[in-house]
Amino acid sequence: MDRELELKLVQRVINGDTEAFSSLVCAYEKQVFNIALRMVGNREDAEDISQESFIKAYNSLSSFRGDSSFSSWLFRIVSNTCLDHLRKQKNRQTLSISTENEDEETEEFDIADESFSPEEILEKKLTRESIQQGLNELSTEHRAVLVLRELQGLSYDEIAAALNIESGTVKSRIARARKKLCSFLVREGNIPDYYASNFKDGGEKS
Amino acid sequence: MTSCEYYISLISAGLDNELTAEECSALTEHLSTCPRCRYVHEAFTAVSGAIADTLEDVPESLHENVMAEVRRIEIKKKNRKKRMISTFAACAAIIILGGIGITSLPVSPLATGKLESASEPAVAAAPAAASYMIAEESARAMEYASESPAEYSTFSVMADTADAYEADNSFFDLRGYDTDEFIEKLLGDETEFNGDFDRCVELIVTHDGTDEDIIVYITDDNIISLSQNGNYHISALSIEDFELFVLNHK
């Protein structure tokens, strides 16, 4: 949906045309739901969060200034709702879940011979389930930056603004998140483990 | 960091189109000579594509539920306009019946004038619950404000936008509530009220934890102020009165 149409629909909703909101829901529900799903890991919570986010957007539509596109404004609401949800969940589960150790080093793997074909990686099956499991293994912070980038296509600066962190931190967190995700997928056999030691963590600040 | 670690961070940023031209050509050159980094590049690319490519279907109920909720919100708003009177009358009644005492702020004719018409049983039951709720809620608001003043004062902050409404008086800390939430905050569940206003904002005039702290609730055309001074004092006043009050406290 282009920005002009978005703005028209937003204006119609503000002017009292409730059904115009339906078009906005139609246009973005798939992305909204999938962002939530990637962030929280299960369909039930993802649906609740999607609904909550749309209602938040509806109720605060008059504060949407049009500085950004409606979609990125909406996605920001979704990610904040997800982060709230995950924080609450974390508080409830602090006793049963050990938090990810930032300095923890991922396993090292044998270095294979150099005759591998890079295309093999693509031939291996990266299933929806394996990706989701991998994302669930990441810390909330790492998952958030990666999902914001991969599903919402936000730039590093936009992610930095949405999460209130430095742009440089976004860059290092995304690289780190990708390494950890690949490391998990190697362990699970979804990615061949040639040079998997390259996924060994070099530290957030590096 | 080792050379490869540096290039791995470039590989990641490169996938996101966040490289400068220099970084980009340095990376290309490195990849042509380093099979280890080519492997990482390949893996990152595959995983990146897989995250975006495996979108799941949306539950059918989502769209329907969102729109049902939107319609419910609209009906609620309309009903609210139909209900009238008495929140402020009742608040004024609490001052007298509860013996909390009136603040130095002027009480508007609207509030005092409606006093006789306020529902007697409801009002009689109100004071204890009211002062308790107010004490608890004000303490909570104070705590919240001192913890994160910036977040509190940013009206469009995402976490709080659900019930937030635009406020005309944006020079103090504001937070929006919908009517039902507000009535509940003010008086608890035990009291029935007929209130009629579309929005209400909570305004903390000062929040440094001293006796001077005052929380003001502004509704469409009335102000209810609650002053923290050992006891809580309530009064309802007009917008004009409020402006005078604000000027005196600035």
Side-chain angles (χ1 to χ4, degrees):
Chain A
M1 182 178 288
D2 69 36
R3 207 158 153 175
E4 203 177 325
L5 178 58
E6 268 182 6
L7 280 175
K8 268 184 194 159
L9 286 169
V10 168
Q11 202 49 54
R12 273 171 54 193
V13 179
I14 291 172
N15 293 339
D17 180 358
T18 311
E19 297 311 311
F21 194 68
S22 181
S23 310
L24 291 168
V25 176
C26 266
Y28 296 116
E29 61 180 349
K30 189 159 189 173
Q31 279 163 287
V32 165
F33 177 72
N34 275 281
I35 289 162
L37 183 60
R38 288 295 185 224
M39 294 276 269
V40 302
N42 74 79
R43 288 181 66 90
E44 203 175 300
D45 286 346
E47 185 175 358
D48 287 348
I49 287 167
S50 303
Q51 180 171 343
E52 190 183 336
S53 304
F54 276 119
I55 296 302
K56 278 184 185 174
Y58 182 79
N59 277 331
S60 50
L61 209 54
S62 57
S63 70
F64 169 62
R65 309 243 178 265
D67 301 334
S68 61
S69 67
F70 171 77
S71 49
S72 64
W73 182 76
L74 175 66
F75 296 159
R76 216 156 60 221
I77 294 179
V78 180
S79 26
N80 281 319
T81 309
C82 287
L83 290 175
D84 278 351
H85 173 90
L86 292 168
R87 272 184 217 118
K88 280 179 202 153
Q89 201 174 45
K90 199 175 171 187
N91 287 341
R92 279 202 301 271
Q93 297 177 346
T94 34
L95 291 177
S96 58
I97 286 183
S98 62
T99 53
E100 189 181 16
N101 183 352
E102 285 286 317
D103 301 321
E104 178 193 358
E105 296 196 343
T106 50
E107 289 173 45
E108 276 202 57
F109 298 89
D110 294 334
I111 296 176
D113 67 80
E114 299 195 2
S115 62
F116 81 100
S117 142
E119 289 74 28
E120 271 185 44
I121 293 173
L122 293 169
E123 288 163 17
K124 288 275 180 176
K125 210 161 168 62
L126 285 170
T127 60
R128 183 184 287 171
E129 290 73 26
S130 65
I131 292 282
Q132 186 64 59
Q133 278 167 10
L135 286 171
N136 291 349
E137 291 284 306
L138 301 179
S139 68
T140 308
E141 288 76 18
H142 286 131
R143 186 161 57 215
V145 287
L146 198 57
V147 170
L148 285 170
R149 173 60 219 161
E150 300 288 15
L151 286 183
Q152 299 179 216
L154 297 189
S155 71
Y156 287 3
D157 284 344
E158 287 170 320
I159 297 170
L163 299 178
N164 203 18
I165 53 178
E166 295 293 320
S167 191
T169 308
V170 174
K171 185 179 175 182
S172 59
R173 274 193 193 164
I174 289 184
R176 219 173 133 95
R178 284 189 170 126
K179 276 190 195 176
K180 282 177 183 286
L181 187 53
C182 285
S183 182
F184 172 85
L185 292 165
V186 167
R187 279 204 299 278
E188 296 295 305
N190 298 95
I191 293 178
D193 66 353
Y194 311 115
Y195 309 122
S197 61
N198 274 19
F199 299 133
K200 189 184 147 189
D201 223 307
E204 172 124 0
K205 289 199 165 66
S206 56
Chain B
M1 76 171 77
T2 67
S3 161
C4 279
E5 275 173 35
Y6 168 71
Y7 285 109
I8 288 171
S9 81
L10 291 192
I11 290 168
S12 172
L15 284 176
D16 303 327
N17 300 316
E18 299 270 354
L19 290 185
T20 62
E22 291 76 25
E23 287 172 330
C24 195
S25 52
L27 177 62
T28 309
E29 197 183 324
H30 178 75
L31 287 178
S32 69
T33 60
C34 179
R36 300 174 63 93
C37 284
R38 279 206 301 279
Y39 165 79
V40 172
H41 182 260
E42 204 66 31
F44 277 11
T45 308
V47 168
S48 178
I51 295 175
D53 283 349
T54 52
L55 293 189
E56 290 198 21
D57 289 337
V58 181
E60 281 177 17
S61 50
L62 178 61
H63 186 269
E64 203 177 300
N65 288 344
V66 168
M67 289 315 292
E69 180 65 17
V70 161
R71 286 181 202 111
R72 205 183 64 79
I73 291 168
E74 286 306 310
I75 289 168
K76 213 169 137 193
K77 277 188 199 164
K78 281 180 189 125
N79 286 345
R80 209 173 282 155
K81 282 179 184 163
K82 288 179 196 156
R83 289 183 287 168
M84 189 55 206
I85 307 185
S86 277
T87 297
F88 306 109
C91 289
I94 290 163
I95 296 165
I96 292 155
L97 294 172
I100 300 170
I102 298 173
T103 64
S104 59
L105 302 168
V107 175
S108 79
L110 172 71
T112 49
K114 289 279 172 24
L115 195 52
E116 295 86 354
S117 66
S119 156
E120 285 296 329
V123 171
S131 52
Y132 173 71
M133 284 299 293
I134 292 160
E136 192 184 53
E137 280 303 320
S138 302
R140 188 201 57 77
M142 297 293 174
E143 194 185 331
Y144 188 52
S146 59
E147 267 172 22
S148 52
E151 197 181 352
Y152 196 81
S153 61
T154 309
F155 214 54
S156 57
V157 65
M158 289 305 168
D160 274 324
T161 45
D163 298 312
Y165 295 84
E166 273 314 300
D168 300 326
N169 305 70
S170 56
F171 39 80
F172 292 115
D173 291 343
L174 295 171
R175 185 168 185 228
Y177 294 97
D178 76 12
T179 312
D180 294 341
E181 191 186 358
F182 168 68
I183 291 172
E184 198 184 319
K185 266 174 70 72
L186 203 60
L187 295 154
D189 290 332
E190 296 167 41
T191 310
E192 290 266 330
F193 273 110
N194 296 314
D196 177 36
F197 40 83
D198 283 339
R199 69 171 189 219
C200 164
V201 297
E202 177 185 73
L203 182 153
I204 299 186
V205 177
T206 62
H207 51 75
D208 56 2
T210 69
D211 283 350
E212 297 304 310
D213 285 352
I214 294 170
I215 299 183
V216 182
Y217 293 100
I218 311 166
T219 61
D220 283 354
D221 49 15
N222 284 273
I223 313 293
I224 300 168
S225 75
L226 310 173
S227 137
Q228 184 194 33
N229 201 2
N231 282 315
Y232 291 86
H233 305 291
I234 308 170
S235 68
L237 60 158
S238 67
I239 291 289
E240 291 75 21
D241 291 335
F242 176 69
E243 280 168 2
L244 277 174
F245 166 75
V246 166
L247 287 174
N248 289 335
H249 280 77
K250 247 185 157 176

